[in-house]
Amino acid sequence: MTEALTANRIPLENYAEVVGAGEIEELRALAKPLRGRSIEMINSTAVGGGVAEILNRLVPLAEELDLRIRWEVMKGAEEFFDVTKSFHNALHGEPYHPRPKDFEIFLSYNERNRASLRSDAEFVVIHDPQPAALIDARQPGLNHWVWRCHIDLSHPNRAVWDFLERFVSRYDAAMFSSPEFSRQLSIPQYLFYPAIDPLSEKNCPVDPEFTQQVLERYQIDSQRPILTQISRFDRLKDPVGVIRAYRIVKRYFDCQLVLAGGSASDDPEGALVLKDVLRAADKDPDIKILELPAWAPLEVNALQRASTIVVQKSLREGFGLTVSEALWKKKPVVASAVGGIPTQIIHKHTGLLAHSVEGTAYQIRFLLSHPEIATKLGENGHEHVKENFLITQKLKRYLALFLLLDRRQ
Amino acid sequence: LNVAETPFDFVTASYLTRIGNQSAGTLAELLTGLEHSSDASIFHHTFQTLGLHHFLTEGFSNDFAQWTLASTNRSDLAEQLAALDIRDYTSIAALRSDLCRVVRDFCDAYPQFASQSGLERFYFCESVEVAVSLGRSARTLEGFREAVAHLSHAAFYYHFISSRLRLQLQTNDFSHWLSDSLGLHTLADSVNRIDVYTNTLDSARAKMLRLIDRERRKA
């Protein structure tokens, strides 16, 4: 185990401007009975990925509330991460035939990490399948262990899930991002939404001049409607489907399409998808395909803010936090009804859901024809994110869970 | 100045959503779920959801109506489910009974729609309330007003909406204290009549503060 150090600390009080002083007072009230209590967060990576991003924000905020929180990252070698990557894909439903050796590798790395685990923390939160077998370190009656699963377990590979379930069922509770992602388990299961940080570079207010510069850099016309999908170049994000929807809309509205994502150069699958996207775009000057370096958070922020409509036409999705990011910026969103998206998009209230290319195009046309409805959806969406999908709300859920576990002891 | 013998103790609550093992893909399955889900689940999808979506002041009533509209595209049934006003009920059993009646009548009248699959499934969940004291109390109307003005949404929701279940759905914490401890029955009634469907939590609070100010001017 290695202790992860958090970066870019933002004081809790700074969030009062965004969520209100009452919310901060409430966090302090919930944390008061837990003051000085020890919490251990354990995952498998300190950088990259949504879990590390959330823990980077959550841990310093919990420290400010006088909780003794530590974030530890399990150590592994290539063979372990190859196995857990295969497990991850298999749990998402991809075909996979695990070898007995795969399970052995998984267990042996969990065992090695167990040796250096500080397992006396009063609350231990294990993130995702990689460290799930650390539960073997639990001593009866000593503390509370909970498992936070960030992935979709609705259609898991049977062999991998059966193997994992014997560990999961020994936790006090499991948390999932959507009811749809959960399994029938013997332990209580709670809904824990992922969250965005309203003060991070990706979501903080941006100087309109900077936004204009970003548009000019990519030759995007601010005077015409801009449709945007922010996603890596992945078939499951259906970028080609977005182009098809754009082409239908283009018959009625002189709009532009921005497809922006991380660089595909180090991802062989991503490079192939990008090739397909470029082919589908067919050199249309109003389709901007942007490979942004390491996600360039401020540029993503500016592109989202400059958009007329944000699209998320995924075929499958985890939670889809890009939707929350857009809603936070009061943008009308048209998105597929998959994964965690319907939790964020309450159809006709905080955005519009679609189920096909044609449906996506229809909803975009509807919003371009009714800007007043688009504005209202964006405003409602902002409030929905404020109530449910901000990092302060996530912290509040953790505090409530710890209090609940403590009271039920 | 009227000083209450029993102070109003302000509390806040955080709610965890517990995922149940029941879900529905059709209207017939929704009916089964409504018949068999826990009281806490009915409460979650009606009262709790109203708090979570308080900023929606047009056309949102409860999760059952929203799912019926968005997933099964049955706007006629959705309208009937949305029309059930939680303030009319004095028990979860009565609310459940009416929800079941509405869905059952629809399924009987249109059996061809009862087993038609919705676009997404409906998952029955429950709210688990974790309440803690804010360490603040009031004995006078002035002190009460000051505290209410600065409550978080969750604390306001706890006292104004969630409390209705504890109080047999007939009043709320605020009205109960104003009436029982300060003897301000008219003010208590007016506060209780604030429409939770057409107000956000902020606008409901603003109305309540206006009512209190009017009462203070009378004194």
Side-chain angles (χ1 to χ4, degrees):
Chain A
M1 288 289 183
T2 316
E3 184 168 4
L5 299 174
T6 52
N8 304 322
R9 284 168 175 264
I10 300 172
L12 183 60
E13 292 307 327
N14 290 15
Y15 290 85
E17 282 174 35
V18 179
V19 298
E23 298 294 325
I24 305 300
E25 185 197 7
E26 186 165 293
L27 279 171
R28 294 199 187 284
L30 285 164
K32 200 175 165 189
L34 296 165
R35 210 173 269 170
R37 310 288 293 275
S38 54
I39 297 155
E40 186 98 352
M41 293 273 178
I42 297 171
N43 78 325
S44 63
T45 175
V47 285
V51 180
E53 201 175 313
I54 286 170
L55 289 176
N56 238 310
R57 300 288 174 178
L58 198 74
V59 169
L61 293 179
E63 281 174 343
E64 273 202 60
L65 293 170
D66 294 330
L67 305 178
R68 287 195 296 130
I69 185 165
R70 262 164 67 105
W71 169 19
E72 292 208 87
V73 177
M74 73 185 301
K75 283 183 187 165
E78 202 179 336
E79 59 172 352
F80 174 67
F81 291 115
D82 282 348
V83 167
T84 57
K85 174 79 182 165
S86 301
F87 279 15
H88 177 95
N89 293 339
L91 289 168
H92 269 292
E94 282 185 23
Y96 174 57
H97 299 287
R99 304 161 302 167
K101 192 173 173 2
D102 295 339
F103 296 124
E104 284 166 23
I105 291 171
F106 181 89
L107 290 174
S108 81
Y109 278 90
N110 268 269
E111 198 176 325
R112 277 182 232 177
N113 279 278
R114 228 169 24 239
S116 57
L117 174 67
R118 206 192 61 164
S119 59
D120 60 342
E122 289 162 273
F123 303 98
V124 181
V125 183
I126 300 291
H127 292 265
D128 285 331
Q130 297 92 331
L134 291 177
I135 187 76
D136 279 344
R138 180 182 195 170
Q139 294 171 41
L142 182 73
N143 50 12
H144 302 285
W145 286 63
V146 292
W147 187 57
R148 171 66 173 102
C149 181
H150 297 265
I151 60 179
D152 177 356
L153 293 184
S154 54
H155 302 93
N157 175 292
R158 199 70 244 174
V160 175
W161 174 244
D162 285 349
F163 170 74
L164 274 178
E165 191 183 7
R166 62 193 169 107
F167 300 107
V168 171
S169 60
R170 289 159 55 200
Y171 285 79
D172 293 314
M175 296 98 84
F176 292 90
S177 302
S178 161
E180 193 183 334
F181 296 174
S182 66
R183 307 288 306 158
Q184 292 219 346
L185 293 170
S186 54
I187 57 172
Q189 300 178 71
Y190 298 101
L191 199 51
F192 262 55
Y193 300 131
I196 62 164
D197 187 335
L199 302 181
S200 68
E201 284 188 318
K202 217 193 271 182
N203 299 303
C204 65
V206 170
D207 183 348
E209 263 183 47
F210 174 75
T211 301
Q212 191 54 39
Q213 283 169 16
V214 171
L215 293 184
E216 283 167 13
R217 192 181 311 151
Y218 296 117
Q219 297 172 310
I220 301 165
D221 178 3
S222 61
Q223 302 305 307
R224 290 185 294 146
I226 302 167
L227 316 177
T228 302
Q229 175 160 298
I230 305 281
S231 275
R232 63 179 188 273
F233 294 100
D234 180 328
R235 291 194 199 289
L236 294 179
K237 308 295 178 188
D238 199 16
V240 173
V242 180
I243 292 175
R244 288 169 58 206
Y246 152 83
R247 291 208 193 286
I248 297 172
V249 176
K250 186 78 172 173
R251 289 185 220 149
Y252 306 91
F253 293 92
D254 181 18
C255 57
Q256 306 157 88
L257 173 66
V258 177
L259 292 171
S263 168
S265 57
D266 56 351
D267 170 11
E269 170 72 9
L272 287 176
V273 175
L274 181 60
K275 220 167 150 184
D276 288 349
V277 170
L278 288 166
R279 193 178 306 125
D282 195 21
K283 297 184 179 157
D284 181 335
D286 281 338
I287 300 179
K288 312 290 179 187
I289 297 159
L290 313 180
E291 280 191 273
L292 300 178
W295 279 91
L298 269 175
E299 292 204 349
V300 168
N301 190 339
L303 287 170
Q304 286 170 326
R305 286 182 191 278
S307 302
T308 314
I309 294 171
V310 171
V311 180
Q312 190 61 54
K313 209 210 144 302
S314 304
L315 300 173
R316 285 196 71 176
E317 192 54 83
F319 192 73
L321 268 183
T322 47
V323 170
S324 276
E325 288 167 13
L327 294 177
W328 178 246
K329 295 164 186 109
K330 300 188 178 178
K331 292 295 153 186
V333 176
V334 174
S336 302
V338 294
I341 290 176
T343 305
Q344 299 167 82
I345 300 290
I346 307 167
H347 188 51
K348 296 186 180 174
H349 290 291
T350 64
L352 297 178
L353 293 174
H355 301 83
S356 62
V357 166
E358 294 75 15
T360 303
Y362 172 76
Q363 303 292 27
I364 294 170
R365 286 168 53 202
F366 175 79
L367 289 180
L368 290 174
S369 306
H370 298 86
E372 70 293 348
I373 295 177
T375 302
K376 184 69 185 158
L377 292 177
E379 284 168 359
N380 283 345
H382 175 82
E383 291 301 320
H384 189 34
V385 173
K386 189 173 169 183
E387 293 288 326
N388 296 292
F389 310 121
L390 293 188
I391 193 78
T392 43
Q393 294 299 325
K394 190 168 185 76
L395 179 56
K396 201 192 280 188
R397 273 186 207 109
Y398 269 113
L399 296 173
L401 179 66
F402 297 149
L403 285 169
L404 183 72
L405 291 168
D406 211 33
R407 289 175 186 179
R408 285 189 176 170
Q409 196 170 30
Chain B
L1 195 69
N2 203 356
V3 180
E5 215 167 274
T6 313
F8 188 98
D9 290 318
F10 289 92
V11 165
T12 188
S14 190
Y15 295 87
L16 290 169
T17 301
R18 186 168 172 171
I19 304 166
N21 283 329
Q22 256 179 320
S23 68
T26 65
L27 290 172
E29 288 171 8
L30 179 70
L31 177 57
T32 306
L34 284 168
E35 286 167 343
H36 297 102
S37 61
S38 64
D39 281 0
S41 184
I42 299 289
F43 178 76
H44 174 83
H45 293 294
T46 52
F47 282 80
Q48 181 71 17
T49 201
L50 198 61
L52 281 175
H53 303 126
H54 71 92
F55 48 88
L56 302 176
T57 54
E58 290 162 25
F60 187 89
S61 172
N62 60 64
D63 287 341
F64 304 120
Q66 178 64 21
W67 179 77
T68 302
L69 181 68
S71 269
T72 72
N73 206 22
R74 301 311 323 163
S75 54
D76 36 5
L77 174 60
E79 188 180 279
Q80 289 180 64
L81 288 168
L84 300 175
D85 186 334
I86 56 172
R87 292 167 306 170
D88 292 342
Y89 294 91
T90 54
S91 73
I92 290 292
L95 176 56
R96 181 202 299 273
S97 168
D98 274 1
L99 287 165
C100 288
R101 177 184 50 75
V102 168
V103 179
R104 191 180 302 112
D105 286 354
F106 184 87
C107 290
D108 288 347
Y110 306 99
Q112 69 275 28
F113 296 136
S115 54
Q116 198 174 305
S117 290
L119 292 166
E120 296 114 41
R121 292 189 75 77
F122 183 91
Y123 294 87
F124 286 85
C125 295
E126 293 179 2
S127 285
V128 182
E129 186 178 272
V130 181
V132 293
S133 168
L134 281 171
R136 197 189 293 169
S137 62
R139 283 184 187 274
T140 64
L141 191 57
E142 285 67 29
F144 177 76
R145 187 205 184 281
E146 173 64 16
V148 167
H150 296 102
L151 286 181
S152 66
H153 282 161
F156 187 81
Y157 170 82
Y158 174 83
H159 289 300
F160 191 57
I161 296 180
S162 176
S163 59
R164 291 165 195 258
L165 191 65
R166 272 182 280 115
L167 299 165
Q168 283 73 51
L169 307 184
Q170 284 173 342
T171 182
N172 62 83
D173 282 347
F174 297 140
S175 297
H176 183 65
W177 184 77
L178 289 167
S179 176
D180 273 26
S181 297
L182 288 184
L184 300 170
H185 308 296
T186 310
L187 175 61
D189 281 350
S190 305
V191 167
N192 199 36
R193 278 202 301 273
I194 294 172
D195 191 346
V196 290
Y197 285 101
T198 56
N199 279 290
T200 65
L201 288 177
D202 286 330
S203 67
R205 184 208 321 248
K207 277 193 179 155
M208 186 174 155
L209 295 176
R210 279 200 298 275
L211 289 168
I212 294 173
D213 289 341
R214 199 183 302 160
E215 184 70 31
R216 288 165 73 200
R217 282 196 296 274
K218 276 199 288 182

